[in-house]
């Protein structure tokens, strides 16, 4: 039997979350899947929250986020793409991002690079942080919808419940692909950040 390590435990947790949903992941169930007693896990992951934090760390490792100097727009697009890929490949485990704060060296390394890029472009330190948070908000929200779609759970407006004479704009969207909003969100975000960068750079 392979040695029991934190990495092996978390790989099991990620696979279980993708298969059965994050709420199904418990220390007892992980122990059962690995064929060990639950107390064997405590030296590696002592609590349910530690499992969720570990899932986030595992996904961030897989994402290969930028950790070397890049332009701010490249970072934003790379971060957005990485979160979208994670949400599609790990639709159950991705839910962990909404359950626990994303923190620690893995996340901070990429955010540090991004803040430096925004500062170099002309934003104040505070606004550079705000810009990074804005990208993270949008990327995680779009990722959440992508994960729902990957699980076959993406909900759409029930058009039959909205009278056409009262809601003509909604009915004009009946052939609309709801996933186009994801790309629109990214481009709107980038355009807004460009404007912020240009405005603050002009006042320096």
């Amino acid at each position: 039997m392979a040695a029991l390590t934190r990495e092996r435990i978390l790989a099991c947790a990620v696979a279980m979350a993708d298969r059965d949903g994050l709420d199904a992941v418990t220390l007892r169930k992980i122990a059962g899947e690995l064929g060990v007693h639950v107390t064997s896990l405590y030296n590696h992951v002592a609590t349910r929250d530690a499992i969720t934090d570990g899932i986030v760390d595992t996904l961030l490792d897989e994402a290969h986020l930028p950790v070397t100097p890049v332009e701010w727009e490249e970072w934003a697009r790379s971060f957005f793409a990485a979160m979208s890929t994670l949400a599609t490949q790990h639709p159950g485990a991705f839910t962990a991002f909404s359950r626990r704060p994303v923190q620690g060296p893995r996340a901070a390394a990429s955010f540090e690079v991004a803040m430096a890029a925004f500062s170099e472009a002309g934003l104040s330190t505070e606004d550079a942080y705000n810009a990074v948070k804005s990208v993270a908000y949008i990327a995680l929200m779009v990722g959440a919808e992508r994960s729902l779609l990957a699980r076959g759970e993406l909900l759409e407006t029930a058009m039959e419940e909205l009278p056409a004479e009262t809601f003509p704009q909604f009915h004009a969207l009946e052939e609309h692909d709801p996933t186009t909003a994801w790309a629109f969100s990214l481009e709107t975000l980038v355009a807004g950040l460009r404007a912020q960068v240009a405005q603050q750079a002009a006042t320096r």
Side-chain angles (χ1 to χ4, degrees), residues 1 14 37 50 60 64 69 90 96 110 130 144 146 151 154 177 184 201:
M1 179 183 293
V14 169
H37 193 275
L60 289 175
H64 300 298
H90 297 288
S110 188
N130 292 338
R146 283 186 181 275
R151 299 197 304 267
L154 183 62
D177 177 2
F184 185 88

Side-chain angles (χ1 to χ4, degrees), residues 10-25 48 51-52 55-56 59 83-99 143-153:
L10 294 176
C12 178
V14 169
M16 188 182 297
D18 288 338
R19 185 187 69 220
D20 303 324
L22 184 65
D23 290 335
V25 180
R48 179 66 175 74
I51 288 288
T52 305
I55 288 174
V56 169
L59 295 184
M83 292 297 106
S84 295
T85 298
L86 284 180
T88 301
Q89 294 180 346
H90 297 288
F94 193 85
T95 309
F97 284 109
S98 67
R99 299 290 179 84
E145 285 208 348
R146 283 186 181 275
S147 69
L148 286 173
L149 180 63
R151 299 197 304 267
E153 299 175 5

